[in-house]
Amino acid sequence: MRKAEVLTLLREAGGYLSGQELCGRLGVSRTAVWKIINQLKEEGYGIEAVPNRGYLLTASPDLLEEGEIRSRLRTRWAGGNLICCRTTGSTNADAKAEAERGAPEGTLVVAERQEAGRGRRGREWFSPEGSNLYFTLLLRPACAPDQACMLTLVMALAAAEAVREQGLDAGIKWPNDIVISGKKVCGILTEMSAEPDFIHYVVIGTGINVNQTVFPEGITETATSLRLEKGESVGRAQLLASVMEHFESAYARFLKTRDLSGIRADYESLLVNKGRPVRVLDPKGEYEGTAAGIRENGELLVKLPDGRMECVYAGEVSVRGIYGYV
Ligand code: BTN
């Protein structure tokens, strides 16, 4: 992937990079470098070529294309196998198909648009083209099937940390929605193939409303995007790369203990429900209390009016703020 290598070198240079240096680092001729530079310019990259100084990268298009993403990834394994599609049904379905074919841990499927984007509880995930992030990461974790649901919280932390790098005050609504100003900007859907005591694979699908400005009726009150909150558009490839970096770090901490003890403090520091009144929509009966934090297995701790502590398991119930979505 020569394009990605050229982009990586130009980015790392942080200024002009001579043609000679580029040729040397890539082990190709000046003509070959010149061809790649022209190809990149045709794709919308701004590259200045100044005699005796070299090449300077001045602008990058907001593309979710392999070269663009690879040149920004600073991960050891996440995204090592990268599959980018313009349009697909659902990146979760694609990642599962890849997993069945034996794809390695860290396979990342990214799409510009999904025609059958899926949310939690069988809901649809609105996935228009060109403005958001839809991606799924394939994992083959060495843990028990009942520990896999915690991975959703690991991704929630990674996504929230990456969004916060944009200067936005993003928090986590337990277990895995990312919210800004009380509105949702990101959702996560984790699916698994397992036997009772063995995980074949886990796919974690994440949708982030990045540069979307209009939302379908029904979610206008509860959804927002990074662009709406920040007042300017956000580069999607860099954001994706940042989520992957944060995920690698949080996942390593998860694997050490196979629970959330290593990320619990970070997660709780971003947990918007903490200390707030919540209504637990338990199929066995709804009740209210105050969210106190999470347990090491990802359950939400809810303090009941009589002082007792209830542990809420994400798979069974959902939690609402009493005064709104959070
Ligand atoms: C939710 O309901 O909050 C979860 C939404 C998850 C959406 C993402 S977009 C990428 C991946 N592919 C899907 O079909 N769904 C997830």
Side-chain angles (χ1 to χ4, degrees):
M1 192 62 194
R2 289 304 196 193
K3 267 191 311 187
E5 287 174 60
V6 170
L7 284 171
T8 305
L9 290 171
L10 289 174
R11 287 213 166 93
E12 278 172 3
Y16 283 93
L17 185 66
S18 73
Q20 197 181 355
E21 175 100 24
L22 260 176
C23 296
R25 302 279 290 272
L26 295 170
V28 298
S29 68
R30 273 184 178 261
T31 320
V33 164
W34 183 78
K35 272 191 191 157
I36 300 168
I37 296 280
N38 275 346
Q39 216 182 329
L40 288 169
K41 282 184 181 169
E42 273 166 28
E43 287 174 17
Y45 288 89
I47 301 175
E48 270 178 28
V50 177
N52 299 324
R53 294 190 76 180
Y55 298 103
L56 176 71
L57 182 65
T58 56
S60 302
D62 187 33
L63 291 175
L64 289 178
E65 190 262 334
E66 190 179 345
E68 175 62 13
I69 296 170
R70 258 192 211 297
S71 69
R72 293 181 183 272
L73 272 176
R74 300 284 175 271
T75 50
R76 281 177 295 113
W77 55 269
N81 179 29
L82 180 61
I83 299 166
C84 299
C85 352
R86 176 92 186 261
T87 299
T88 191
S90 154
T91 55
N92 268 29
D94 294 347
K96 285 195 265 183
E98 289 297 326
E100 298 289 346
R101 284 195 283 268
E105 173 158 88
T107 294
L108 177 63
V109 183
V110 187
E112 279 281 1
R113 168 173 171 253
Q114 296 184 117
E115 287 175 334
R118 295 200 308 255
R120 292 176 72 207
R121 297 172 201 284
R123 284 191 283 254
E124 177 196 357
W125 187 260
F126 182 58
S127 310
E129 181 161 4
S131 53
N132 295 328
L133 275 174
Y134 318 110
F135 59 91
T136 302
L137 184 65
L138 166 62
L139 300 175
R140 297 185 182 277
C143 66
D146 63 348
Q147 294 167 321
C149 60
M150 289 184 256
L151 292 169
T152 297
L153 283 77
V154 176
M155 181 58 88
L157 176 64
E161 287 175 335
V163 169
R164 290 179 70 84
E165 279 178 359
Q166 296 294 325
L168 290 161
D169 189 16
I172 303 169
K173 175 185 177 283
W174 183 85
N176 57 9
D177 286 353
I178 310 304
V179 295
I180 304 176
S181 319
K183 290 184 168 190
K184 179 164 170 172
V185 287
C186 166
I188 298 167
L189 176 68
T190 299
E191 297 177 90
M192 169 170 72
S193 162
E195 285 167 37
D197 57 351
F198 177 75
I199 294 180
H200 294 293
Y201 60 81
V202 172
V203 297
I204 309 182
T206 308
I208 307 182
N209 302 333
V210 184
N211 294 318
Q212 187 175 342
T213 50
V214 181
F215 289 90
E217 222 175 286
I219 60 168
T220 47
E221 295 302 310
T222 52
T224 188
S225 70
L226 307 193
R227 179 174 173 170
L228 288 174
E229 296 302 315
K230 194 176 177 181
E232 61 185 71
S233 55
V234 169
R236 293 177 298 161
Q238 182 52 45
L239 180 66
L240 172 60
S242 168
V243 175
M244 289 300 117
E245 276 170 48
H246 284 287
F247 185 84
E248 270 197 1
S249 150
Y251 184 57
R253 283 179 275 160
F254 166 81
L255 285 180
K256 265 191 196 156
T257 50
R258 294 175 193 170
D259 67 20
L260 302 179
S261 48
I263 66 160
R264 183 174 166 184
D266 290 342
Y267 182 96
E268 283 193 344
S269 72
L270 300 180
L271 183 64
V272 291
N273 312 90
K274 199 172 173 181
R276 290 202 194 177
V278 288
R279 174 173 292 128
V280 180
L281 309 179
D282 190 325
K284 288 183 237 127
E286 292 184 20
Y287 57 91
E288 291 179 6
T290 304
I294 58 162
R295 294 182 70 205
E296 279 158 14
N297 65 0
E299 288 174 349
L300 184 71
L301 287 164
V302 176
K303 193 169 186 189
L304 303 178
D306 64 7
R308 277 185 302 126
M309 217 42 116
E310 194 71 43
C311 302
V312 182
Y313 174 66
E316 290 166 1
V317 300
S318 70
V319 164
R320 294 266 175 285
I322 291 183
Y323 305 112
Y325 164 68
V326 173

